[in-house]
Amino acid sequence: MHALQRRSAKKSRHGCKECKRRHVKCDELKPCCANCTVRHLPCSYLSSVPIPPRHVSSSNLSSPDPPAVARPPQPDQLAQHGALAALHPRHLSHQYSPTFTINPLFSTDQTFQLHHLELLHNFRTGVLGDIFLDTAAADGYMAMTVGEAVQAPYLMDQALAISAANMSIKRPYQQHFYQEEATQLQTRGLALFNAAQASEATDNALAGFVFSTLLSQQVLFDTFSTRTDFPTFLDKLATSLHICGGVRTMTAKAWPFIRTQYQRQTGINLPGEFTTLSGSKTTLTKKLAHLETLLTDESLSLSIVNPCMTALRFLQDLSYTEDRPKDSAFRTTRILQARVIQWAVQVPTEFVRLLEQRRPEALIITAHYALMIHDTRDFWLYGDAGAFIIRSITAFLGKFWAGWLAWPNEVVDSVSYVNENIPVP
């Protein structure tokens, strides 16, 4: 049998060092070859590009300082803010690109590269464009975010981080790069956020609220994108819910102030509370009411019944349909997208611990929560995570609990099923 032979390729004599290291053909395009451009790698050709002299004043003739480089956060910094610091960062190396520093009034080593301008643009057109139907609302949110980021630089990092996560879906051929960028920006934002909280240098409740909600969305996206074994996914989901709970902890005391400022800057009215029991019942509402009988088993302790009942009641509140005007900034899908985050923020910590313990009652409630995720499967943050959760929990619990999961599986398996939150008679 003939041994497999490596296909020969025409070698480039004067290719860049990075292409030679990777053993790929270089097109020798200058000042940066195509391979390095696509992968955002430091092309050796750039070192040969002449740098135009800078005009400096006579008062600044000393050798210039090197460009600031973002320092990776230390573990003790990330541990200073409880649930929001539960994310385990990966320290990533910076790649070559011209950099600049913003917000000189805030003492940080925060720098941005030119491709971050694209991420900022995508934050408005891609991320906010998918959330808000009304252009004015999206523009207001964008203006609020940028304005708050001047005094709270961590907010800019997080806005760019979730934009990078969005780009990882839009550009699958550059998925790895944008995933790394999202992690790097999120990690730096967390470090700046924790430092600001520890020093008490700022007391910006609105910036903290926007930061924590964007962070929650990103960690849920990271979790919902996980497709390994189910126990690993479940552990990651529990960690995400702990982080989302940080939003509730952070904003509880300042919620009236946040609501006022948010409405003033975006024109959107936030609810007086995170959840409200109003509107008409849906099919999900009736199914959740039946689920209460699962918790009537006298052998269950209150440490199990109470957290599960609280989580179930929150889910019932969010299952009601709302009467909104036709010109509302939100469509039904937008409402469902928001409710997925709302439940993750409101669910009690004790319930999350039951998930970590693999309690069947908590898993069954989570499977019904996954129906909301399934109903927004066209939204880039969630994808097919709802169906994955329902089927994985069903397989994990086995036949004994299958009856409690029959309806969620029926919904997932029904190709024609579309939940538009139509009230039931």
Side-chain angles (χ1 to χ4, degrees):
M1 182 179 292
H2 295 286
L4 292 176
Q5 295 182 349
R6 185 175 180 178
R7 186 175 63 180
S8 60
K10 184 179 178 181
K11 298 183 181 296
S12 52
R13 288 182 180 275
H14 306 290
C16 76
K17 294 179 180 178
E18 183 62 28
C19 287
K20 288 182 178 180
R21 184 187 68 81
R22 297 177 59 244
H23 303 290
V24 296
K25 182 181 178 180
C26 181
D27 64 357
E28 302 182 20
L29 183 65
K30 296 183 180 181
C32 184
C33 76
N35 290 331
C36 291
T37 299
V38 169
R39 293 172 175 80
H40 295 270
L41 296 174
C43 188
S44 61
Y45 290 153
L46 289 168
S47 61
S48 63
V49 177
I51 302 175
R54 290 190 305 169
H55 297 284
V56 296
S57 63
S58 58
S59 61
N60 190 26
L61 293 178
S62 59
S63 59
D65 294 331
V69 176
R71 298 171 182 170
Q74 300 301 313
D76 57 339
Q77 290 177 307
L78 293 175
Q80 289 172 355
H81 196 72
L84 290 181
L87 192 66
H88 297 286
R90 290 180 294 159
H91 307 315
L92 307 172
S93 61
H94 282 263
Q95 292 145 349
Y96 178 86
S97 182
T99 62
F100 58 92
T101 305
I102 68 166
N103 193 31
L105 300 178
F106 196 97
S107 179
T108 71
D109 291 330
Q110 190 179 27
T111 60
F112 295 95
Q113 301 173 354
L114 289 179
H115 67 272
H116 290 141
L117 293 175
E118 181 187 37
L119 292 180
L120 184 61
H121 175 71
N122 181 67
F123 178 71
R124 166 59 188 88
T125 59
V127 177
L128 299 184
D130 286 342
I131 295 175
F132 298 104
L133 175 64
D134 183 21
T135 302
D139 289 340
Y141 193 99
M142 180 72 177
M144 175 189 67
T145 302
V146 173
E148 292 295 319
V150 173
Q151 299 300 325
Y154 52 80
L155 179 54
M156 180 58 68
D157 277 338
Q158 183 53 55
L160 296 179
I162 195 170
S163 179
N166 177 262
M167 291 293 287
S168 73
I169 298 297
K170 287 182 174 180
R171 297 182 180 173
Y173 56 91
Q174 289 182 290
Q175 185 179 62
H176 178 71
F177 167 75
Y178 284 113
Q179 287 174 341
E180 296 282 289
E181 193 69 19
T183 301
Q184 182 178 3
L185 287 164
Q186 184 188 72
T187 299
R188 188 173 71 178
L190 274 168
L192 292 174
F193 176 81
N194 291 328
Q197 302 303 308
S199 64
E200 297 182 356
T202 61
D203 185 20
N204 196 327
L206 181 59
F209 169 70
V210 178
F211 170 83
S212 57
T213 52
L214 293 176
L215 173 66
S216 298
Q217 292 178 60
Q218 187 174 348
V219 296
L220 284 175
F221 167 73
D222 292 339
T223 298
F224 293 159
S225 302
T226 301
R227 289 296 183 275
T228 57
D229 59 286
F230 182 63
T232 299
F233 174 88
L234 204 54
D235 288 336
K236 201 166 183 179
L237 177 62
T239 300
S240 299
L241 293 176
H242 281 305
I243 294 173
C244 291
V247 179
R248 182 181 68 254
T249 304
M250 273 190 55
T251 61
K253 294 181 180 179
W255 189 241
F257 170 80
I258 292 171
R259 287 185 64 209
T260 301
Q261 292 299 316
Y262 193 92
Q263 196 281 331
R264 182 178 300 171
Q265 298 193 44
T266 67
I268 300 172
N269 290 313
L270 294 173
E273 299 178 355
F274 279 104
T275 57
T276 56
L277 185 63
S278 62
S280 304
K281 291 182 179 181
T282 62
T283 304
L284 179 58
T285 312
K286 297 183 68 175
K287 295 292 184 180
L288 292 174
H290 173 69
L291 204 59
E292 291 184 14
T293 59
L294 176 67
L295 304 175
T296 58
D297 188 342
E298 295 181 356
S299 64
L300 294 177
S301 66
L302 291 179
S303 62
I304 296 174
V305 173
N306 289 343
C308 285
M309 189 62 73
T310 302
L312 182 57
R313 292 282 167 78
F314 283 143
L315 197 55
Q316 286 176 311
D317 289 348
L318 294 171
S319 70
Y320 280 68
T321 188
E322 296 184 16
D323 298 324
R324 289 182 175 268
K326 293 182 180 180
D327 60 348
S328 170
F330 295 92
R331 285 179 180 162
T332 301
T333 52
R334 265 65 171 187
I335 298 171
L336 291 173
Q337 291 167 10
R339 289 178 177 183
V340 170
I341 301 293
Q342 279 185 278
W343 189 83
V345 168
Q346 281 294 91
V347 69
T349 302
E350 294 77 13
F351 178 84
V352 182
R353 294 198 182 103
L354 294 177
L355 270 183
E356 293 171 328
Q357 298 168 15
R358 308 324 192 229
R359 287 294 312 182
E361 298 82 7
L363 289 171
I364 291 171
I365 293 172
T366 302
H368 284 74
Y369 162 65
L371 285 171
M372 284 189 176
I373 303 173
H374 180 66
D375 284 340
T376 59
R377 54 193 176 277
D378 292 333
F379 187 37
W380 70 273
L381 272 175
Y382 308 144
D384 64 347
F388 172 77
I389 293 171
I390 292 169
R391 288 169 176 151
S392 298
I393 289 177
T394 303
F396 182 82
L397 291 180
K399 293 182 179 180
F400 184 81
W401 301 96
W404 294 102
L405 296 165
W407 185 67
N409 280 281
E410 179 184 337
V411 171
V412 169
D413 293 337
S414 176
V415 178
S416 61
Y417 175 83
V418 178
N419 183 2
E420 293 294 345
N421 265 13
I422 300 174
V424 298

